[in-house]
Amino acid sequence: MILQRLSAGKRGTHGEAPAVAEEVLADPSLLGVILAGALDADPLLRARCAHVLLHCAREQPDLLLPYTQDILDGLTDIAQWEVQSAVLQMTSVLSWTPPERQQLAAYAKRCLNERSSIVRTNAMQALVDLALHDDDLRQDIGPLIRRLAETGTAAMRARGRKLTAQLNLL
């Protein structure tokens, strides 16, 4: 079973996630199984399934279009940095409806308060990616990104400077 392959091995590695992602790209009917695994109680399985989903989103974003609301409704409730990071990175590669963009923006703003600086930095990027498609959101997050570019971690300040410059070009 595909989920058993993903739950084997040590945490902190991708295990068989890259190989499984290629299988899913070849057989998109497996996406439902992977999404179910991303909602599982096992944190290792959740992390690897989130990695598979992100890989698929980057390679063939259209395959995940039927699952965008499932991703938002299920994965955004999981307080695990690997899952949060994957969802935030999907922001720039998937197409979202205006209500989904609003839901994602609220999620990204919540993620700005997480312990993981990776999650917080990805949240900043996600907010700017969303703002590129939404004038109201752009006005709302501009000051927030500027503040984080001055007060966040070193990674957040560096990313914040780039994002602020990107927002100023709009």
Side-chain angles (χ1 to χ4, degrees), residues 38-117:
L39 298 169
D40 194 86
D42 176 10
L44 177 62
L45 181 59
R46 280 195 311 257
R48 291 196 177 146
C49 286
H51 179 77
V52 170
L53 290 170
L54 177 59
H55 181 87
C56 291
R58 286 179 172 156
E59 294 296 316
Q60 294 183 35
D62 291 347
L63 293 180
L64 275 82
L65 288 179
Y67 299 96
T68 55
Q69 196 60 55
D70 294 326
I71 290 168
L72 289 173
D73 291 343
L75 299 185
T76 57
D77 289 335
I78 297 172
Q80 179 178 342
W81 79 267
E82 297 99 335
V83 175
Q84 292 168 322
S85 182
V87 170
L88 291 165
Q89 290 178 67
M90 284 184 226
T91 301
S92 67
V93 293
L94 296 179
S95 295
W96 306 95
T97 66
E100 289 172 336
R101 280 197 299 270
Q102 291 301 317
Q103 191 175 350
L104 268 170
Y107 173 67
K109 287 178 183 178
R110 285 193 319 269
C111 286
L112 290 172
N113 297 315
E114 290 294 327
R115 272 188 45 219
S116 167
S117 65

